[in-house]
Amino acid sequence: MKKGLILEGGAMRGLFTCGVIDSLMKENIEFDGAIGVSAGAVFGCNYKSQQIGRALRYNTRFCKDKRYCSFKSLLKTGDLYGAEFCYQDLPFKLDIFDTDTFEKNPMEFWIVATDIESGKACYHKCTTGKDEDMDWFRASASMPIASRPVEIGGKAYLDGGCADSVPLAFFESIGYDRNVVVLTQPKGYRKKKSRKTKLLVRLLSKYPAIAEDLKDRCETYNRLMTEIEKKAAAGEILVIYPPEALNIGSVEKNPDELRRVYRIGEETAAENMAAIKEFLQI
């Protein structure tokens, strides 16, 4: 049996995920590997570094800091979330990311990014939490329009959620057969096409493969949710959902709102803890 943890993105809905995974770490629940998309990657990496509370701590501390996230940063650098601050100053100076523990922990940690030329998902196993791994974290969380593409090894990447919002199929393909999936929308949620999506597609005309991903994302995501629900009903996977819509935006400047969503994650994990342990045969 190979136990996996799969973490959906969702910008600041990811604080729900933080509450869930911190609760799992407090219970000393170990996985053979985890994979995160976007916020699921940049927050979820703290599982491998075993840093309970870190993601909540730095988000509440810096959410009002213009260096962390601001439209000034977007206009000045092309990144809504400041690249240098978020991926250099914060993890290596201000709230230290424990790369030693990350590297020594045998648990695998994968992230998903989207190749802007092909529009296909790329899966990278992070081993050190430094250097190129940090570029992959940034790429996975680089939302189209709100971020510049991230160049790694001669290719450019954007948000992993463009191509693979919940990488369950990938994890199954590499041998993970006992998977816990943490989603950031409530059970039964389905995406709806909106004018915002149509506008994004037009704005991304110079990245046609990404534009095509976003144009089809509602149908792709909804099919995936149907498949996940079927697998959960059959007992093949265990899914942790928020009990209701989290109602938090992609950019949240109120620390109390971040704590609110985090607490929902904690409470949901507590309610499901016995089922999680039974599913993982702990």
Side-chain angles (χ1 to χ4, degrees):
M1 180 173 69
K2 200 172 179 183
K3 296 178 288 186
L5 178 64
I6 299 166
L7 308 172
E8 184 182 21
M12 288 304 146
R13 295 198 310 273
L15 268 296
F16 170 81
T17 302
C18 294
V20 172
I21 63 176
D22 283 355
S23 297
L24 297 178
M25 282 193 279
K26 288 174 184 177
E27 291 288 322
N28 296 311
I29 293 176
E30 296 181 352
F31 293 88
D32 298 297
I35 185 166
V37 181
S38 196
V42 295
F43 298 162
C45 61
N46 293 291
Y47 210 117
K48 183 169 166 64
S49 66
Q50 291 291 289
Q51 290 178 278
I52 296 170
R54 178 175 177 267
L56 176 66
R57 183 173 63 242
Y58 74 68
N59 274 286
T60 53
R61 179 182 174 188
F62 295 113
C63 62
K64 295 182 180 180
D65 193 315
K66 291 182 180 179
R67 296 171 300 169
Y68 182 54
C69 176
S70 66
F71 287 102
K72 179 180 179 180
S73 174
L74 178 62
L75 292 172
K76 185 177 179 180
T77 69
D79 293 307
L80 181 64
Y81 284 85
E84 183 174 349
F85 183 82
C86 291
Y87 298 98
Q88 293 300 320
D89 294 347
L90 198 160
F92 299 121
K93 298 176 184 177
L94 300 172
D95 197 317
I96 304 299
F97 181 48
D98 188 349
T99 54
D100 288 341
T101 298
F102 186 94
E103 189 168 2
K104 291 173 184 175
N105 188 340
M107 173 182 140
E108 294 184 344
F109 193 83
W110 293 77
I111 69 97
V112 188
T114 303
D115 184 319
I116 66 168
E117 291 296 324
S118 68
K120 292 182 179 180
C122 296
Y123 306 93
H124 172 76
K125 184 166 75 170
C126 300
T127 56
T128 69
K130 305 173 189 175
D131 306 320
E132 189 173 286
D133 280 355
M134 197 58 67
D135 290 337
W136 280 100
F137 289 136
R138 179 184 160 206
S140 184
S142 290
M143 299 177 287
I145 305 300
S147 310
R148 293 169 294 168
V150 178
E151 294 188 8
I152 307 171
K155 291 190 175 184
Y157 302 90
L158 281 169
D159 195 310
C162 296
D164 192 354
S165 298
V166 186
L168 173 61
F170 171 75
F171 240 32
E172 290 176 336
S173 75
I174 60 171
Y176 285 89
D177 55 2
R178 205 74 177 164
N179 294 305
V180 174
V181 180
V182 182
L183 301 181
T184 58
Q185 295 284 11
K187 187 176 182 179
Y189 171 81
R190 295 294 186 272
K191 286 188 181 294
K192 296 179 181 178
K193 283 192 174 181
S194 67
R195 291 180 180 178
K196 181 180 176 182
T197 301
K198 293 178 180 178
L199 176 61
L200 281 173
V201 168
R202 287 200 295 270
L203 291 173
L204 287 163
S205 58
K206 66 177 180 178
Y207 305 126
I210 296 290
E212 196 67 23
D213 282 343
L214 294 182
K215 186 172 69 173
D216 296 336
R217 194 176 180 212
C218 287
E219 291 84 355
T220 302
Y221 183 87
N222 294 344
R223 284 196 301 270
L224 178 58
M225 288 302 106
T226 298
E227 181 65 21
I228 284 173
E229 288 170 6
K230 287 179 180 177
K231 285 179 175 285
E236 297 173 19
I237 61 174
L238 187 146
V239 184
I240 302 173
Y241 300 94
E244 58 189 6
L246 295 170
N247 295 320
I248 189 168
S250 298
V251 177
E252 181 53 68
K253 300 293 186 180
N254 184 345
D256 289 336
E257 279 295 287
L258 300 175
R259 293 188 190 99
R260 175 185 67 83
V261 172
Y262 178 87
R263 285 195 297 271
I264 294 172
E266 285 186 309
E267 292 163 2
T268 303
E271 292 167 2
N272 286 276
M273 196 61 69
I276 293 167
K277 290 181 177 179
E278 180 180 0
F279 178 75
L280 294 174
Q281 299 177 15
I282 296 173

